[in-house]
Amino acid sequence: MKEQTKLKLLHIFFPNKCPCCHKAISATKLFCEKCEKDFVYPTGERCEVCFNKKEFCSCAKRPKFYFRSLSPFIYQNSAKNALLTLKTMKHKRLAKFFAEKIVADFDKKYGDVKIDAVIPVPLFKERKKQRGFNQSELIAAEIAKIKGVALNLDCLTQTEKSRSQHNLNFKQRFQNVSGIYKAKNIPIECQTVMLVDDIMTSGATMNECAKMLRLEGVLKIYCVSAAKTE
Ligand SMILES: [Zn+2]
Ligand SMILES: [Zn+2]
């Protein structure tokens, strides 16, 4: 069955809704017209490592274990609303949408880089069980498919529960995630990897995961997220 026909049939039983504003939309659309135009993109000159605007670069004060990072969107308006939806439902089309944007931006900047594996930032086992899925894994799986690269779900795990990062300052965020991730059994050929998260805030989570991967022999880590806070 053609993809479009499948979507239309599905629509009869499960009316399609915009993942940002939850208004009903036609079966073939992913967003309503208003929300489609309401994405905020990163602007200005940015640090290649932490992806902050140059004037807010934190790399001199806090060196990073990852090599580069990027996000196609700023965590505001439509990207924020869509990512909140992706936390509550396994929305494959939405994950694919973010994956396509990430890959487009990545290939534009680093198209000649050979990635050996795509690795999602893991969720604590119980949290994943509660939620039924890991939203970063959904995006990572789509990236791996588009790039034709292996998805590795085994080598990075979250071994301790983290406190919410919400009310923590920059320094506390780094301390809060310290030691809660473990890396093991990394295939020898995994030298350059893409680490995937849904949202990048201070970069503390990415940095801690990158540190663990580096300790286990990964050489270069490109961190990608659907959206970056600003
Ligand atoms: Zn909408
Ligand atoms: Zn920086």
Side-chain angles (χ1 to χ4, degrees):
M1 203 186 293
K2 266 191 175 164
E3 189 68 15
Q4 299 275 315
T5 321
K6 237 197 292 186
L7 285 174
K8 277 178 189 159
L9 267 177
L10 206 64
H11 187 63
I12 296 170
F13 301 102
F14 304 100
N16 194 24
K17 284 182 185 158
C18 170
C20 303
C21 68
H22 310 288
K23 266 201 310 217
I25 49 171
S26 91
T28 52
K29 289 264 190 263
L30 179 54
F31 302 105
C32 77
E33 246 173 73
K34 186 177 165 283
C35 294
E36 193 160 21
K37 289 184 197 133
D38 207 19
F39 281 92
V40 181
Y41 299 89
T43 54
E45 236 198 294
R46 287 180 182 263
C47 168
E48 285 186 304
V49 182
C50 67
F51 204 63
N52 285 315
K53 279 191 178 157
K54 281 260 162 91
E55 59 268 37
F56 302 117
C57 167
S58 58
C59 297
K61 215 163 61 184
R62 198 170 283 276
K64 303 296 190 288
F65 292 96
Y66 53 84
F67 182 64
R68 297 283 182 262
S69 72
L70 67 79
S71 312
F73 299 112
I74 297 297
Y75 189 62
Q76 286 169 4
N77 305 9
S78 287
K80 182 176 180 178
N81 293 332
L83 284 169
L84 288 171
T85 296
L86 196 61
K87 265 192 183 163
T88 60
M89 67 190 284
K90 208 170 167 178
H91 198 315
K92 215 174 153 241
R93 277 175 81 198
L94 193 53
K96 193 175 169 204
F97 164 81
F98 283 119
E100 282 169 351
K101 298 287 177 193
I102 289 170
V103 170
D105 280 13
F106 183 87
D107 284 352
K108 208 162 27 174
K109 279 180 122 167
Y110 312 115
D112 47 350
V113 173
K114 186 186 159 280
I115 298 290
D116 302 311
V118 178
I119 302 173
V121 167
L123 269 186
F124 189 56
K125 220 170 43 201
E126 272 157 36
R127 168 89 59 89
K128 188 176 169 183
K129 217 165 135 190
Q130 250 171 22
R131 195 178 286 177
F133 63 95
N134 169 3
Q135 71 279 14
S136 302
E137 189 182 312
L138 297 181
I139 301 171
E142 296 297 329
I143 292 176
K145 230 187 275 172
I146 299 167
K147 294 215 49 93
V149 169
L151 174 72
N152 189 317
L153 303 177
D154 307 318
C155 68
L156 190 64
T157 47
Q158 185 179 343
T159 51
E160 274 173 56
K161 216 171 171 177
S162 58
R163 282 185 298 145
S164 162
Q165 299 267 74
H166 264 311
N167 298 314
L168 304 180
N169 68 27
F170 190 80
K171 195 174 168 196
Q172 287 168 329
R173 281 174 186 249
F174 279 83
Q175 288 165 343
N176 189 37
V177 293
S178 176
I180 70 167
Y181 296 98
K182 291 278 170 292
K184 60 173 173 43
N185 303 332
I186 296 171
I188 190 89
E189 66 276 13
C190 269
Q191 301 201 331
T192 305
V193 306
M194 201 189 256
L195 183 62
V196 184
D197 209 352
D198 54 346
I199 308 153
M200 191 165 176
T201 307
S202 61
T205 300
M206 289 284 212
N207 206 37
E208 186 63 20
C209 289
K211 181 173 149 190
M212 293 302 145
L213 292 170
R214 290 284 300 278
L215 283 171
E216 288 302 306
V218 176
L219 296 178
K220 262 185 193 172
I221 295 145
Y222 289 82
C223 295
V224 297
S225 67
K228 169 106 176 76
T229 56
E230 193 152 80

